[in-house]
Amino acid sequence: MAVHALCWLALAQRHGHTGLTSDQIAASLESRPAAVRRALGPLRDAGLVTTDVGPGGGWSLRMPATTVTLADVYAVVEPGPAFALHPHQPRRDCPVGHGIAPVLDDIYDRVAQAVTGELSRHTISEVLDTLLTQHPLPIPWAGVPPRAALEPPAQAAPHETGSPRRGARATETSTETTKGKAR
């Protein structure tokens, strides 16, 4: 989710947007704004993105997308070891339990170094360029959805809906007469 959101922010910047709201990012992710805030919060804390309030505010990349590597993102979103060992110490008097941790630690460290090395060779900008050229939209892109298009419609008050609540009488807003008599 984090790389997707960062690519979306980079694309928005390329098209002149200074920031995107959580709603605008969530629309691309088919997710909820709260999930976007949870995903981007640690990236903000790490200095990869920033947030601004007010008109034109929202989430934006703090540095050029050409300098943010996937290893930078991975280090934030997956801060622990790539592979976990036993959740508890194995039996020390077992021939496997006695030596399994140091053997797996060595293997897992080499795998983590390989993963980090590969991720460090790819930037958000490169991922965005690759996906735009190798997997272009089959239809014309409408652009970043405007903020107003993503705002939920205002909830009408019950008396404004035109239909009374079940079991309640409709409240008249004006005096009407029927055959000369007030209703």
Side-chain angles (χ1 to χ4, degrees):
M1 179 186 278
V3 172
H4 181 145
L6 293 176
C7 286
W8 186 230
L9 289 172
L11 181 62
Q13 280 184 342
R14 289 181 184 181
H15 287 271
H17 295 272
T18 57
L20 295 180
T21 65
S22 297
D23 286 326
Q24 288 172 306
I25 299 168
S28 175
L29 295 165
E30 288 288 346
S31 187
R32 297 176 322 280
V36 169
R37 289 187 289 275
R38 276 193 305 276
L40 293 182
L43 297 175
R44 179 193 54 224
D45 297 342
L48 298 178
V49 297
T50 186
T51 54
D52 293 315
V53 295
W59 297 94
S60 60
L61 293 173
R62 188 172 191 155
M63 56 192 70
T66 55
T67 64
V68 179
T69 69
L70 296 185
D72 298 330
V73 179
Y74 183 75
V76 174
V77 300
E78 298 292 339
F83 299 97
L85 294 175
H86 295 22
H88 59 285
Q89 284 292 331
R91 266 183 90 138
R92 304 304 296 168
D93 63 349
C94 169
V96 173
H98 177 75
I100 193 75
V103 171
L104 290 179
D105 271 340
D106 183 49
I107 293 168
Y108 292 168
D109 285 345
R110 288 193 312 256
V111 169
Q113 288 173 7
V115 168
T116 302
E118 182 63 25
L119 293 176
S120 68
R121 288 190 273 283
H122 303 282
T123 66
I124 293 298
S125 182
E126 176 202 343
V127 170
L128 177 59
D129 291 339
T130 302
L131 71 89
L132 292 174
T133 57
Q134 292 183 10
H135 304 280
L137 275 178
I139 57 173
W141 183 50
V144 175
R147 293 168 189 247
L150 297 170
E151 293 175 5
Q155 291 280 351
H159 69 277
E160 295 173 359
T161 62
S163 60
R165 293 185 323 256
R166 176 175 246 163
R169 293 180 55 188
T171 305
E172 295 177 344
T173 57
S174 64
T175 306
E176 295 181 16
T177 58
T178 306
K179 296 182 185 176
K181 296 182 184 176
R183 277 172 98 180

